[in-house]
Amino acid sequence: MTRALSRIIGSYFCLGCVTVACSGGGTADPDTTGGSANRGGGGASSATGGAANSAGMTGGSSASGGASAATGGSAGGGTNSAKGGASSGAGATLGGTSTGGMKSAGGSSGGRSSGGTSGTGAAAGMAGGGGAARNCKRGIAANTAPAAAFFPAVAWWYNWSPKRTGTDVGIEFTPMVWGAADVNAMLPAGSKYLLTFNEPNFHAQSNLTAAQAASYWPMLEAKASALNIPLVSPGMNFCGPAADCNGTNPYQYLKDFFAVCQGCKVDYVAVHWYNCDLPSLKDYLEPGGNLEGFEQFGKPIWLTEFSCDGGATVAAQEAYMRAAVPYLNQNPHVFRYSWFSAGPIPNAKLMNADGSPTALGQVYIGLPEDCR
């Protein structure tokens, strides 16, 4: 897996786990499965233009520094993937990191709506076949398949790929068409949802303009239609510096995508976020704050990557998890969420190499959830 971390630091706020006077850096690196590196990027930005490092697991390496929304920052480099933070001018005024990258899969029961709108059917978890189905939101984004100890507390998982890996222990797998190269890939029988393009506004991720993403959408609609399953939008994140992006602002990218893809079937909106505090997560999703909020698109939200960034301790990751998960469970606009558990952020990992829970994984399993 690879993934991108981007810290969005605003002109007036310094939010996140890093307490070093808004000058933190991020980490990013790739895991591998089957000897080939997955995709993603990383890099936390700061008010002075963060730095990033890499510490890959078994394959490849990637790292990128973020650009700060205040100063524009500068991007680092990496071999497999790289991503920066929010761009100045187009970025947010509040902090928040986000990440992309990695192929993965996950899934779960839940709703779909027709005609390109999710409306109340998806939000309420209406099953594609017409009957109501309970939706348990909690998932995992990881290259390693979760072991049986995670079931049934974790309802779904994904690995940034169209294909499942590991043993099926009853946790729903959701396939992802990570980029253009996966558009023709076969999807597993029994899939419940289809995740799509990973951070296409990043050159180092799936690297598609809004128009290019829209041009592939009829093929994705056909794949989803063949299985009678809902489609999730491209997974978005702030990007920077501008020279490394197909647009720095994830809200604007989706606006452009929907403008070009009028009439397209999009049932859910997918987003990533890596800041380490609850207020900025709320601001990222909800309207009326310093950020625009993804609720503006009127579609249920999948938060498909979230945790603290690579500079956070295990204790900080746990504290953020304990604050964020109850909010995500209770927010009716959030349909699903998946904690980021992979090599680029070792202290956020929920699983050991064999898929068994780490201490943090045990916390994730034990947090209450009211499935609806």
Side-chain angles (χ1 to χ4, degrees):
M1 142 212 131
T2 1
R3 74 153 250 260
L5 295 171
S6 67
R7 166 75 43 90
I8 307 154
I9 304 296
S11 302
Y12 305 105
F13 297 88
C14 180
L15 301 179
C17 297
V18 182
T19 57
V20 210
C22 291
S23 61
T27 63
D29 60 7
D31 292 337
T32 63
T33 49
S36 63
N38 284 326
R39 309 140 186 180
S45 79
S46 70
T48 57
N53 55 47
S54 66
M57 290 191 62
T58 57
S61 67
S62 69
S64 68
S68 90
T71 64
S74 61
T79 58
N80 247 345
S81 63
K83 300 173 62 157
S87 78
S88 90
T93 56
L94 262 187
T97 65
S98 53
T99 79
M102 304 187 303
K103 302 183 65 177
S104 85
S108 97
S109 69
R112 84 176 277 240
S113 65
S114 62
T117 63
S118 56
T120 58
M126 291 297 118
R134 292 177 77 236
N135 179 54
C136 297
K137 297 182 180 184
R138 188 171 307 164
I140 297 176
N143 295 119
T144 303
F150 285 93
F151 182 80
V154 171
W156 69 283
W157 76 286
Y158 80 102
N159 61 5
W160 297 271
S161 168
K163 298 179 180 179
R164 177 195 293 274
T165 56
T167 304
D168 183 358
V169 297
I171 299 174
E172 189 177 311
F173 171 84
T174 296
M176 172 183 273
V177 171
W178 187 92
D182 295 329
V183 166
N184 294 317
M186 294 291 294
L187 301 182
S191 297
K192 300 288 198 323
Y193 302 90
L194 177 58
L195 298 172
T196 65
F197 307 132
N198 189 78
E199 297 184 355
N201 54 328
F202 285 79
H203 292 172
Q205 294 299 314
S206 60
N207 189 21
L208 297 167
T209 66
Q212 288 172 326
S215 72
Y216 287 113
W217 212 254
M219 288 178 273
L220 300 184
E221 286 192 22
K223 296 174 82 67
S225 178
L227 295 175
N228 192 30
I229 59 175
L231 264 172
V232 185
S233 81
M236 301 308 304
N237 188 1
F238 276 99
C239 181
D244 295 336
C245 308
N246 300 310
T248 58
N249 186 317
Y251 307 112
Q252 187 59 51
Y253 184 100
L254 281 184
K255 290 175 187 176
D256 294 342
F257 171 80
F258 285 120
V260 176
C261 210
Q262 293 186 21
C264 290
K265 171 185 168 61
V266 183
D267 299 290
Y268 302 87
V269 166
V271 302
H272 303 163
W273 190 243
Y274 283 83
N275 222 34
C276 197
D277 69 284
L278 183 56
S280 66
L281 174 60
K282 290 181 176 180
D283 198 46
Y284 191 53
L285 301 180
E286 299 176 11
N290 291 281
L291 302 179
E292 293 183 38
F294 285 97
E295 290 179 17
Q296 68 177 292
F297 296 103
K299 299 179 185 293
I301 295 168
W302 289 49
L303 180 62
T304 47
E305 293 182 22
F306 82 107
S307 73
C308 296
D309 67 18
T313 64
V314 174
Q317 298 282 358
E318 179 179 339
Y320 177 53
M321 176 187 287
R322 289 184 180 277
V325 166
Y327 162 72
L328 295 169
N329 285 336
Q330 296 161 14
N331 186 334
H333 299 283
V334 175
F335 186 72
R336 284 191 172 174
Y337 59 84
S338 50
W339 184 266
F340 181 84
S341 175
I345 310 181
N347 287 341
K349 292 181 77 171
L350 304 178
M351 292 180 286
N352 299 305
D354 62 356
S356 63
T358 61
L360 187 63
Q362 292 287 4
V363 173
Y364 197 57
I365 290 170
L367 290 173
E369 180 180 5
D370 180 16
C371 299
R372 301 174 187 275

